[in-house]
Amino acid sequence: MITHRMVEAFRAVMQSGSVTRAAGMLNISQPSVSRLLADLETGLGLRLFERRGTRLNATTDGVELYDEVERSFLGLARVLDTAEQIRTRHSGVLTVATIPALGNTLLPEVLKGLQVLPDAPLVRLHIVPSQQALGMLAQRRCDIAFASIAPAPEIGRQVAAFPMYGRVILPASHRLAGIPHKLTPDILSDEPMVALAAHSLMRIETEQVFAQRGTPFRVAIETMQAFSAAQLVQAGFGWAIVDPMTARAHEAAGGVSRAFEPAIDFSFGAYAWRMDDKVGRMERFVVAVAASVASLPAN
């Protein structure tokens, strides 16, 4: 008979790479782990490990079985996570999923301001890409999602919109840093650029803007996130086009930002899926975010 404990022992050995570590993970003795593995192999009629002295190496059968075991455990983890989300609906917890551009810049101060209120909820913050934030909303794993793409109507409704346009960030020592007006593709064409990853929406729109002007741009380095782009700009790799939230953080770190023309859309929205006793907390949170966004420089 195969028991859950046997499967747990197998999974622990596969994850840790040794019986000793597996025993520590399960808080049982090494002989107990070895016995559970032996019983599992006998019960399944499979050889899951090759034993070389004190070492265990997974066989092909063992690796194949582990894939299925891990899927089962992930399914259980989702069940437990869902149960936790249901419990938090009835408690003072507000779960937020947000794009990095907001989560890495404005939200810390927004949350700090809210936490001084007497009935401030515990906020669980997930900083993730837009698609993942909306996925969490669709799976009821967050109360509110901030995303740069809109979800399907059945996933959530928009509760706030935040229109904004890209800004050019430069190191303070850059030769263009002294230009007080908007920067254009013609001005930037000969300067090395810190670009967001190829095929990303912002990169495609940037390429289109330069192509429409018949102006080339020179990529010095690519990165996945605006926060990383700002760090690379500070290090002297060149200029970048980022959202106004990242641009303000860049200025606070001693850098320079300027409006970019023609405008590149960096807008995002706030989306929610339910209206209940949390609606007051959610509205207060969104209003606080809106106030912080309103303080950003306008193009």
Side-chain angles (χ1 to χ4, degrees):
M1 177 181 176
I2 306 301
T3 67
H4 184 68
R5 197 58 165 167
M6 292 177 193
V7 177
E8 278 187 323
F10 169 71
R11 180 173 184 258
V13 171
M14 292 293 290
Q15 288 185 328
S16 65
S18 77
V19 171
T20 301
R21 291 177 180 174
M25 290 170 62
L26 299 174
N27 197 28
I28 60 177
S29 67
Q30 294 179 41
S32 295
V33 173
S34 298
R35 184 169 57 255
L36 287 167
L37 292 179
D39 291 344
L40 180 63
E41 288 181 318
T42 300
L44 295 174
L46 295 173
R47 188 181 181 194
L48 303 177
F49 296 98
E50 291 181 352
R51 291 159 176 80
R52 297 179 180 176
T54 58
R55 296 187 60 183
L56 292 180
N57 295 321
T59 63
T60 302
D61 289 343
V63 172
E64 187 174 349
L65 180 65
Y66 175 70
D67 287 340
E68 184 58 37
V69 167
E70 195 60 22
R71 277 194 291 270
S72 298
F73 271 83
L74 287 175
L76 176 60
R78 272 199 293 268
V79 170
L80 296 175
D81 186 55
T82 299
E84 175 65 15
Q85 292 301 320
I86 293 171
R87 282 196 298 272
T88 61
R89 290 175 200 164
H90 307 294
S91 65
V93 178
L94 189 65
T95 304
V96 178
T98 179
I99 51 176
L102 175 63
N104 290 331
T105 58
L106 302 184
L107 274 195
E109 283 300 315
V110 169
L111 293 173
K112 184 178 179 181
L114 291 176
Q115 285 304 303
V116 301
L117 300 177
D119 59 342
L122 168 66
V123 175
R124 289 179 176 164
L125 180 63
H126 300 265
I127 299 177
V128 294
S130 288
Q131 294 87 342
Q132 190 172 342
L134 295 180
M136 292 180 65
L137 188 66
Q139 296 167 14
R140 308 300 192 256
R141 294 173 54 211
C142 69
D143 298 300
I144 190 165
F146 293 92
S148 57
I149 55 177
E154 63 270 20
I155 292 178
R157 65 181 187 85
Q158 187 176 73
V159 295
F162 303 96
M164 58 179 58
Y165 300 94
R167 293 182 66 84
V168 176
I169 56 173
L170 306 153
S173 59
H174 198 283
R175 73 177 190 86
L176 300 179
I179 296 178
H181 52 72
K182 295 180 179 181
L183 297 178
T184 64
D186 294 334
I187 296 173
L188 296 164
S189 62
D190 293 328
E191 301 294 330
M193 176 187 185
V194 177
L196 296 181
H199 310 301
S200 66
L201 179 60
M202 293 303 106
R203 174 67 173 273
I204 290 171
E205 292 190 1
T206 301
E207 290 177 348
Q208 289 175 343
V209 164
F210 275 76
Q212 289 166 1
R213 295 293 182 95
T215 305
F217 61 88
R218 182 157 58 95
V219 176
I221 191 169
E222 291 183 351
T223 185
M224 293 295 293
Q225 291 188 357
F227 181 74
S228 173
Q231 291 180 312
L232 291 166
V233 168
Q234 286 283 31
F237 281 91
W239 60 275
I241 298 176
V242 299
D243 60 273
M245 298 173 289
T246 301
R248 187 169 78 171
H250 175 73
E251 290 180 338
V256 171
S257 86
R258 296 287 182 266
F260 179 74
E261 189 178 82
I264 294 180
D265 190 12
F266 276 79
S267 302
F268 66 98
Y271 303 92
W273 67 271
R274 65 198 311 269
M275 297 289 288
D276 61 1
D277 58 319
K278 286 190 178 182
V279 65
R281 298 172 190 151
M282 291 168 61
E283 286 182 350
R284 190 163 59 221
F285 182 74
V286 172
V287 166
V289 171
S292 186
V293 169
S295 70
L296 296 171
N299 273 16

